[in-house]
Amino acid sequence: FFLMIRRPPRSTQSRSSAASDVYKRQIYYKTTDGKKMEPTKLFYSPDVRITVGRPEMGSGGFFSASYIVYSVNTSPFNWSVQRRFSDFFWLRSALQRVYPGIIVPPIPTKKSTRSFDATFLQKRGDFCEKFLHECLNSPEIKASPFLHAFLSIEEDKAFTNRKKDLDKFPAPKTIQENMSVSGKIDYVIENERKLFCNYSNDFITNADPIYTRLRKLSLIHISEPTRLLSISYAVFCLKKK
Protein backbone atom coordinates (compact mmCIF):
# COMPACT_ATOMS: atom_id res chain seq x y z
CA PHE A 1 0.00 0.00 0.00
CA PHE A 2 1.77 3.15 -1.18
CA LEU A 3 1.14 6.83 -0.62
CA MET A 4 2.89 8.91 -3.27
CA ILE A 5 3.37 12.68 -3.35
CA ARG A 6 4.76 14.37 -6.43
CA ARG A 7 7.29 17.12 -5.74
CA PRO A 8 8.68 19.91 -7.96
CA PRO A 9 12.07 19.54 -9.67
CA ARG A 10 15.14 20.45 -7.66
CA SER A 11 16.00 23.26 -10.08
CA THR A 12 12.93 25.24 -8.99
CA GLN A 13 13.83 25.15 -5.30
CA SER A 14 16.00 27.64 -3.43
CA ARG A 15 18.68 26.49 -1.01
CA SER A 16 16.69 27.74 1.96
CA SER A 17 13.65 25.70 0.97
CA ALA A 18 15.72 22.63 0.03
CA ALA A 19 16.54 21.76 3.64
CA SER A 20 12.91 22.09 4.63
CA ASP A 21 11.89 19.95 1.68
CA VAL A 22 14.35 17.22 2.69
CA TYR A 23 12.69 17.08 6.09
CA LYS A 24 9.25 16.86 4.52
CA ARG A 25 10.36 14.01 2.26
CA GLN A 26 11.54 11.78 5.10
CA ILE A 27 10.01 8.36 4.47
CA TYR A 28 8.73 5.85 7.00
CA TYR A 29 8.49 2.20 5.98
CA LYS A 30 5.97 0.12 7.88
CA THR A 31 4.90 -3.51 7.78
CA THR A 32 1.68 -4.75 9.33
CA ASP A 33 -0.43 -7.88 9.32
CA GLY A 34 -3.05 -8.12 6.59
CA LYS A 35 -5.29 -10.86 5.28
CA LYS A 36 -3.52 -13.87 3.80
CA MET A 37 -4.75 -14.98 0.40
CA GLU A 38 -5.43 -18.53 -0.68
CA PRO A 39 -3.72 -18.65 -4.10
CA THR A 40 -5.31 -20.49 -7.01
CA LYS A 41 -3.36 -23.04 -9.03
CA LEU A 42 -2.58 -20.31 -11.54
CA PHE A 43 -0.26 -18.77 -8.96
CA TYR A 44 1.91 -21.87 -8.60
CA SER A 45 2.65 -22.25 -12.31
CA PRO A 46 5.83 -20.38 -13.34
CA ASP A 47 5.31 -20.73 -17.11
CA VAL A 48 1.89 -19.26 -17.78
CA ARG A 49 1.31 -17.85 -21.25
CA ILE A 50 -1.84 -16.03 -22.33
CA THR A 51 -2.80 -15.20 -25.89
CA VAL A 52 -5.77 -13.13 -27.06
CA GLY A 53 -6.98 -14.22 -30.50
CA ARG A 54 -8.46 -12.27 -33.35
CA PRO A 55 -11.82 -10.56 -32.73
CA GLU A 56 -14.90 -12.48 -33.81
CA MET A 57 -18.54 -11.48 -34.22
CA GLY A 58 -20.92 -12.94 -31.68
CA SER A 59 -24.63 -13.31 -32.32
CA GLY A 60 -26.83 -11.45 -29.89
CA GLY A 61 -30.01 -13.33 -30.74
CA PHE A 62 -33.34 -12.07 -32.02
CA PHE A 63 -33.83 -9.24 -29.51
CA SER A 64 -30.21 -8.10 -28.97
CA ALA A 65 -27.44 -6.69 -31.14
CA SER A 66 -24.33 -8.51 -32.27
CA TYR A 67 -21.13 -8.06 -30.30
CA ILE A 68 -17.39 -8.72 -30.50
CA VAL A 69 -15.66 -11.51 -28.58
CA TYR A 70 -12.00 -12.40 -28.15
CA SER A 71 -10.70 -15.91 -27.59
CA VAL A 72 -8.41 -16.02 -24.56
CA ASN A 73 -6.12 -19.06 -24.36
CA THR A 74 -4.02 -19.94 -21.34
CA SER A 75 -1.25 -22.51 -21.29
CA PRO A 76 -0.15 -24.88 -19.80
CA PHE A 77 -3.73 -25.38 -18.55
CA ASN A 78 -5.31 -25.55 -22.01
CA TRP A 79 -7.97 -23.06 -20.98
CA SER A 80 -9.83 -21.43 -23.85
CA VAL A 81 -12.62 -18.93 -23.21
CA GLN A 82 -14.56 -16.29 -25.13
CA ARG A 83 -14.55 -12.84 -23.54
CA ARG A 84 -16.13 -9.55 -24.51
CA PHE A 85 -14.33 -6.27 -23.90
CA SER A 86 -16.77 -5.54 -21.08
CA ASP A 87 -15.39 -8.64 -19.32
CA PHE A 88 -11.87 -7.18 -19.46
CA PHE A 89 -13.28 -3.95 -18.08
CA TRP A 90 -15.00 -5.88 -15.26
CA LEU A 91 -11.76 -7.67 -14.37
CA ARG A 92 -9.75 -4.49 -14.07
CA SER A 93 -12.46 -2.68 -12.09
CA ALA A 94 -12.77 -5.60 -9.65
CA LEU A 95 -9.01 -5.76 -9.13
CA GLN A 96 -8.84 -2.02 -8.46
CA ARG A 97 -11.66 -2.25 -5.93
CA VAL A 98 -10.41 -5.27 -3.97
CA TYR A 99 -6.65 -4.55 -4.21
CA PRO A 100 -6.35 -0.75 -3.87
CA GLY A 101 -2.68 -0.95 -2.85
CA ILE A 102 -1.67 -2.63 -6.13
CA ILE A 103 -1.10 -0.84 -9.42
CA VAL A 104 -3.45 -2.58 -11.85
CA PRO A 105 -2.30 -2.40 -15.50
CA PRO A 106 -4.37 -0.20 -17.83
CA ILE A 107 -6.68 -1.24 -20.64
CA PRO A 108 -8.16 0.83 -23.49
CA THR A 109 -11.08 3.02 -22.51
CA LYS A 110 -14.60 2.23 -23.63
CA LYS A 111 -15.80 4.09 -26.71
CA SER A 112 -19.12 5.92 -26.55
CA THR A 113 -20.01 4.55 -29.99
CA ARG A 114 -19.68 0.98 -31.20
CA SER A 115 -17.02 0.30 -33.81
CA PHE A 116 -16.49 -2.84 -35.88
CA ASP A 117 -13.41 -1.51 -37.63
CA ALA A 118 -11.02 -4.47 -37.98
CA THR A 119 -7.85 -2.46 -37.27
CA PHE A 120 -9.34 -0.87 -34.17
CA LEU A 121 -10.62 -4.19 -32.80
CA GLN A 122 -7.30 -5.96 -33.38
CA LYS A 123 -5.36 -3.18 -31.69
CA ARG A 124 -7.72 -3.30 -28.73
CA GLY A 125 -7.21 -7.07 -28.48
CA ASP A 126 -3.42 -6.58 -28.48
CA PHE A 127 -3.73 -4.12 -25.61
CA CYS A 128 -5.92 -6.58 -23.70
CA GLU A 129 -3.32 -9.33 -24.15
CA LYS A 130 -0.62 -7.03 -22.79
CA PHE A 131 -2.90 -6.20 -19.87
CA LEU A 132 -3.23 -9.89 -18.94
CA HIS A 133 0.54 -10.43 -19.23
CA GLU A 134 1.17 -7.51 -16.87
CA CYS A 135 -1.36 -8.95 -14.42
CA LEU A 136 0.78 -12.10 -14.16
CA ASN A 137 3.68 -9.97 -12.89
CA SER A 138 1.78 -9.15 -9.70
CA PRO A 139 1.75 -12.06 -7.21
CA GLU A 140 -1.54 -10.90 -5.68
CA ILE A 141 -3.33 -10.52 -9.02
CA LYS A 142 -1.95 -13.83 -10.28
CA ALA A 143 -3.18 -15.53 -7.10
CA SER A 144 -6.59 -13.84 -7.15
CA PRO A 145 -9.86 -15.67 -7.85
CA PHE A 146 -10.80 -12.85 -10.24
CA LEU A 147 -8.08 -13.62 -12.78
CA HIS A 148 -8.56 -17.36 -12.34
CA ALA A 149 -12.29 -17.10 -13.10
CA PHE A 150 -11.68 -14.83 -16.07
CA LEU A 151 -9.23 -17.26 -17.68
CA SER A 152 -10.74 -20.63 -16.79
CA ILE A 153 -14.57 -20.58 -16.84
CA GLU A 154 -15.75 -21.45 -20.35
CA GLU A 155 -19.55 -21.39 -20.11
CA ASP A 156 -21.03 -17.89 -20.32
CA LYS A 157 -23.74 -18.46 -17.73
CA ALA A 158 -21.31 -19.96 -15.23
CA PHE A 159 -18.92 -17.05 -15.73
CA THR A 160 -21.74 -14.53 -15.24
CA ASN A 161 -22.77 -16.21 -11.97
CA ARG A 162 -19.17 -16.32 -10.79
CA LYS A 163 -18.77 -12.61 -11.49
CA LYS A 164 -21.82 -11.89 -9.34
CA ASP A 165 -20.30 -13.91 -6.48
CA LEU A 166 -16.93 -12.17 -6.81
CA ASP A 167 -18.58 -8.75 -6.86
CA LYS A 168 -19.64 -9.44 -3.27
CA PHE A 169 -16.00 -9.30 -2.14
CA PRO A 170 -15.79 -6.29 0.21
CA ALA A 171 -13.34 -3.53 -0.55
CA PRO A 172 -10.78 -3.02 2.27
CA LYS A 173 -11.44 -0.04 4.51
CA THR A 174 -8.19 -0.20 6.49
CA ILE A 175 -4.62 -1.19 5.67
CA GLN A 176 -5.04 -4.34 7.77
CA GLU A 177 -7.98 -5.46 5.61
CA ASN A 178 -5.82 -5.56 2.48
CA MET A 179 -4.93 -9.01 1.16
CA SER A 180 -1.54 -10.37 0.13
CA VAL A 181 0.02 -13.74 -0.60
CA SER A 182 2.31 -13.48 2.44
CA GLY A 183 -0.30 -12.02 4.76
CA LYS A 184 1.92 -8.98 5.35
CA ILE A 185 1.24 -5.46 4.09
CA ASP A 186 4.13 -3.09 3.39
CA TYR A 187 3.36 0.58 3.11
CA VAL A 188 5.20 3.86 2.85
CA ILE A 189 4.33 7.12 4.58
CA GLU A 190 6.11 10.38 3.81
CA ASN A 191 6.67 12.70 6.75
CA GLU A 192 4.41 15.43 5.35
CA ARG A 193 1.53 12.98 5.05
CA LYS A 194 2.28 11.55 8.52
CA LEU A 195 2.11 15.01 10.09
CA PHE A 196 -1.19 15.70 8.34
CA CYS A 197 -2.65 12.44 9.69
CA ASN A 198 -1.46 13.21 13.22
CA TYR A 199 -2.91 16.73 13.18
CA SER A 200 -6.18 15.45 11.73
CA ASN A 201 -6.39 12.77 14.42
CA ASP A 202 -5.79 15.35 17.17
CA PHE A 203 -8.48 17.61 15.73
CA ILE A 204 -11.04 14.81 15.48
CA THR A 205 -10.19 13.57 18.98
CA ASN A 206 -10.58 17.02 20.58
CA ALA A 207 -13.40 18.46 18.49
CA ASP A 208 -16.24 16.32 19.83
CA PRO A 209 -15.56 16.92 23.56
CA ILE A 210 -15.18 20.67 22.95
CA TYR A 211 -18.38 20.84 20.93
CA THR A 212 -20.27 18.83 23.57
CA ARG A 213 -19.09 21.15 26.37
CA LEU A 214 -19.97 24.30 24.41
CA ARG A 215 -23.37 22.83 23.62
CA LYS A 216 -24.08 22.16 27.30
CA LEU A 217 -22.90 25.62 28.40
CA SER A 218 -24.94 27.41 25.75
CA LEU A 219 -28.07 25.43 26.62
CA ILE A 220 -27.93 26.80 30.17
CA HIS A 221 -28.46 30.33 28.87
CA ILE A 222 -30.81 29.39 26.06
CA SER A 223 -33.12 27.75 28.59
CA GLU A 224 -33.60 31.05 30.42
CA PRO A 225 -37.12 32.22 29.46
CA THR A 226 -36.34 35.94 29.59
CA ARG A 227 -33.46 35.89 27.09
CA LEU A 228 -33.40 35.61 23.35
CA LEU A 229 -31.08 33.10 21.73
CA SER A 230 -28.81 35.77 20.25
CA ILE A 231 -28.58 37.72 23.52
CA SER A 232 -28.01 34.56 25.53
CA TYR A 233 -25.16 33.47 23.27
CA ALA A 234 -23.57 36.93 23.44
CA VAL A 235 -23.69 36.90 27.24
CA PHE A 236 -22.14 33.43 27.24
CA CYS A 237 -19.25 34.60 25.06
CA LEU A 238 -18.60 37.67 27.17
CA LYS A 239 -18.60 35.61 30.34
CA LYS A 240 -16.11 33.08 29.01
CA LYS A 241 -13.73 35.78 27.73
Side-chain angles (χ1 to χ4, degrees):
F1 185 85
F2 297 94
L3 298 175
M4 304 297 294
I5 300 178
R6 297 187 66 181
R7 56 180 182 272
R10 290 175 179 267
S11 59
T12 62
Q13 298 174 342
S14 64
R15 290 186 178 181
S16 59
S17 64
S20 175
D21 191 58
V22 168
Y23 171 74
K24 291 179 180 178
R25 293 199 306 268
Q26 290 180 7
I27 295 176
Y28 297 84
Y29 295 90
K30 298 288 185 179
T31 300
T32 187
D33 292 329
K35 292 183 177 180
K36 190 171 183 177
M37 300 176 63
E38 297 181 4
T40 63
K41 68 177 183 179
L42 184 68
F43 173 78
Y44 295 104
S45 179
D47 302 316
V48 178
R49 177 166 176 77
I50 303 172
T51 58
V52 176
R54 299 179 65 84
E56 300 175 3
M57 186 74 71
S59 176
F62 187 76
F63 293 103
S64 56
S66 299
Y67 54 88
I68 298 297
V69 295
Y70 295 90
S71 60
V72 181
N73 305 292
T74 308
S75 61
F77 305 104
N78 294 321
W79 293 335
S80 181
V81 298
Q82 300 286 321
R83 294 290 179 256
R84 301 173 65 169
F85 181 68
S86 58
D87 296 324
F88 287 90
F89 191 82
W90 166 83
L91 174 61
R92 186 171 190 272
S93 299
L95 292 173
Q96 287 183 306
R97 180 178 62 84
V98 179
Y99 307 107
I102 298 173
I103 299 177
V104 181
I107 58 173
T109 57
K110 283 186 174 181
K111 293 190 68 173
S112 57
T113 57
R114 301 178 66 189
S115 173
F116 294 104
D117 178 73
T119 302
F120 165 76
L121 295 175
Q122 183 60 50
K123 188 175 292 186
R124 188 166 70 175
D126 294 340
F127 274 112
C128 288
E129 181 176 291
K130 186 176 181 180
F131 160 73
L132 294 175
H133 285 163
E134 292 297 328
C135 284
L136 295 177
N137 293 329
S138 168
E140 278 69 36
I141 295 179
K142 187 178 180 181
S144 73
F146 299 92
L147 184 61
H148 183 271
F150 180 89
L151 297 174
S152 64
I153 301 178
E154 296 183 13
E155 187 182 357
D156 288 342
K157 186 175 181 180
F159 180 56
T160 300
N161 292 334
R162 182 58 174 155
K163 285 195 297 183
K164 291 180 180 178
D165 291 337
L166 292 173
D167 285 339
K168 297 177 183 178
F169 264 66
K173 296 181 180 179
T174 64
I175 293 178
Q176 290 76 15
E177 290 180 357
N178 281 270
M179 294 182 289
S180 69
V181 175
S182 65
K184 298 292 183 180
I185 304 298
D186 299 323
Y187 60 99
V188 178
I189 302 179
E190 290 193 357
N191 187 63
E192 191 176 33
R193 188 68 62 92
K194 182 180 180 182
L195 290 174
F196 173 79
C197 292
N198 289 341
Y199 292 149
S200 299
N201 184 67
D202 291 342
F203 174 78
I204 293 172
T205 302
N206 296 324
D208 284 346
I210 292 174
Y211 175 79
T212 302
R213 180 169 173 77
L214 287 174
R215 184 72 176 166
K216 289 180 178 179
L217 289 173
S218 63
L219 285 175
I220 295 174
H221 296 275
I222 292 172
S223 63
E224 297 179 16
T226 58
R227 297 183 183 275
L228 296 174
L229 176 61
S230 58
I231 298 176
S232 174
Y233 183 72
V235 172
F236 160 72
C237 291
L238 290 172
K239 286 184 177 179
K240 299 310 293 181
K241 287 181 179 180

